[in-house]
Amino acid sequence: MMPRERLRIAVQKSGRLSEPCFDLLDRCGLRFRRSRDGLFCYGDGEPVDLLLVRDDDIPGLIAQGVCDLGIVGRNVLAENAAARQTALQCLRSLAFGACRLVIAVPQDMAYAGGGSLARLRIATSYPNLLRDWLSANGVDAEIVTLAGSVEIAPRLGTADAICDLVQSGATLAANQLREVDRVLDSEAVLVGSATLPADGRRDAIELLLRRIDGVVRVRGSRLLLLQAARASVEAIVAVLPGAPSATVLQMDGQPGQVMLQALCADELGWRQLEAIQRAGARELFVLPVERALA
Ligand code: PRT
Ligand code: ZN
């Protein structure tokens, strides 16, 4: 394969991870132009391009060297590792796309631990993770591998239980299934091959990782700006969520008045804002934080 100068990242073309991926890269300060066929995004400015593909293809594309990095659910990375297909490394957890791979059984089936699955048929799209989980729990069951629509297998009579991804639980409930055990907690992760490129692309990777850290660190956090009497500062700081450290600035020409700024890790609900105001805050601003540069 021709050596490449530019870093290439594989991301899901259309699916649950697509939008949050673009949002993350945008917050990292990367801008792209999409190719006419919609398969490629050319980086404007930084030497970073995107390849838009199905999430299942991402580990293989990295293993083949077609892409350097990729963003997938940890479920995809772990299934790949369990299948011993490719040696990938997880470079960062990205704090979106949270879900869990669980064992679910029909609502009326008794369940007293993995042993209850003995000799049953379990439908899944994650046969390798399920195989490892069953053997770790000393359970001998039959694995029925399905590409999709796993949740309807028990009703169709093609399986007795399932091992599938769950987020809200609504899909399980709609199919009269209940979650009984957890195989894996998942979220989106940035992955790369076990050995990262040592050429110029390495600089782009380092830069990207630093920017991702800055974005992930402040995700969901808010910058609080307010004015108050100096005497109220202690009371105000006491009601700030997450006990952030606050910066207090003297206001010109207004002795006894200060400006306070604090980075709050959590979103501020109206009850909290009310408490902050009651503690003596005036001119209260709550600002979203795009990224932090360390
Ligand atoms: O076309 P392509 O192959 O790229 O997409 P895909 O259909 O394989 O994947 P997609 O877009 O559905 O999911 C991509 C990734 O999002 C997954 O690999 C997970 O890491 C993550 N993710 C987060 C989820 C869910 N939440 C999720 N709820 N993936 C799938 N689901 C499905 C689940 O399989 C079940 O059918 O949603 C249903 C359950 O959702 P709840 O909310 O009803 O519990
Ligand atoms: Zn897929």
Side-chain angles (χ1 to χ4, degrees):
M1 191 163 298
M2 287 270 289
R4 266 185 296 112
E5 299 269 304
R6 299 170 65 85
L7 188 69
R8 198 181 286 161
I9 310 174
V11 300
Q12 193 184 24
K13 183 168 194 239
S14 63
R16 288 166 205 267
L17 301 183
S18 309
E19 220 190 280
C21 279
F22 287 118
D23 180 58
L24 172 73
L25 296 168
D26 185 67
R27 284 167 190 262
C28 286
L30 297 173
R31 301 286 177 270
F32 300 96
R33 275 176 295 120
R34 222 181 237 237
S35 69
R36 208 167 282 174
D37 59 10
L39 290 175
F40 214 80
C41 289
Y42 299 94
D44 265 341
E46 306 287 352
V48 180
D49 304 320
L50 306 181
L51 192 62
L52 308 182
V53 294
R54 290 200 56 183
D55 64 346
D56 317 73
D57 296 336
I58 292 176
L61 288 167
I62 296 172
Q64 292 161 29
V66 176
C67 296
D68 307 296
L69 305 177
I71 297 177
V72 291
R74 181 174 289 121
N75 48 298
V76 171
L77 175 66
E79 173 65 14
N80 220 266
R84 294 180 191 81
Q85 281 173 343
T86 51
L88 298 185
Q89 58 170 320
C90 173
L91 296 165
R92 289 294 186 277
S93 296
L94 300 175
F96 62 82
C99 59
R100 52 199 189 275
L101 183 66
V102 308
I103 306 286
V105 301
Q107 238 134 34
D108 54 8
M109 179 183 136
Y111 186 85
S116 301
L117 301 167
R119 288 172 303 283
L120 296 185
R121 297 161 303 161
I122 311 173
T124 191
S125 305
Y126 298 86
N128 294 287
L129 284 174
L130 177 57
R131 180 202 62 219
D132 289 357
W133 184 85
L134 289 170
S135 84
N137 286 276
V139 181
D140 184 24
E142 185 190 334
I143 297 172
V144 180
T145 305
L146 299 178
S149 304
V150 169
E151 66 280 356
I152 60 171
R155 271 195 294 152
L156 295 178
T158 52
D160 306 296
I162 67 168
C163 170
D164 199 11
L165 295 175
V166 172
Q167 203 235 317
S168 65
T171 304
L172 289 187
N175 288 281
Q176 290 98 48
L177 297 168
R178 71 188 170 98
E179 180 177 339
V180 291
D181 244 319
R182 188 172 298 201
V183 176
L184 181 84
D185 280 309
S186 184
E187 66 181 308
V189 291
L190 179 74
V191 297
S193 67
T195 44
L196 294 175
D199 52 22
R201 286 172 284 171
R202 190 56 184 255
D203 291 339
I205 293 178
E206 300 291 336
L207 179 69
L208 178 69
L209 291 179
R210 274 203 307 280
R211 289 192 180 172
I212 286 178
D213 289 341
V215 171
V216 171
R217 187 149 51 90
V218 296
R219 171 158 296 169
S221 49
R222 296 287 182 268
L223 184 68
L224 189 69
L225 286 180
L226 59 86
Q227 294 178 21
R230 182 174 283 281
S232 311
V233 167
E234 206 177 322
I236 292 172
V237 170
V239 294
L240 296 180
S245 60
T247 307
V248 178
L249 305 165
Q250 180 63 54
M251 288 175 67
D252 264 355
Q254 297 189 54
Q257 290 295 310
V258 294
M259 169 88 111
L260 183 148
Q261 84 179 37
L263 187 65
C264 299
D266 300 317
E267 300 217 4
L268 292 144
W270 61 269
R271 275 175 196 285
Q272 284 163 325
L273 292 174
E274 177 104 352
I276 294 167
Q277 274 186 312
R278 250 186 284 118
R282 292 180 295 104
E283 300 284 330
L284 186 60
F285 291 98
V286 182
L287 309 175
V289 180
E290 208 157 274
R291 61 179 122 132
L293 301 175

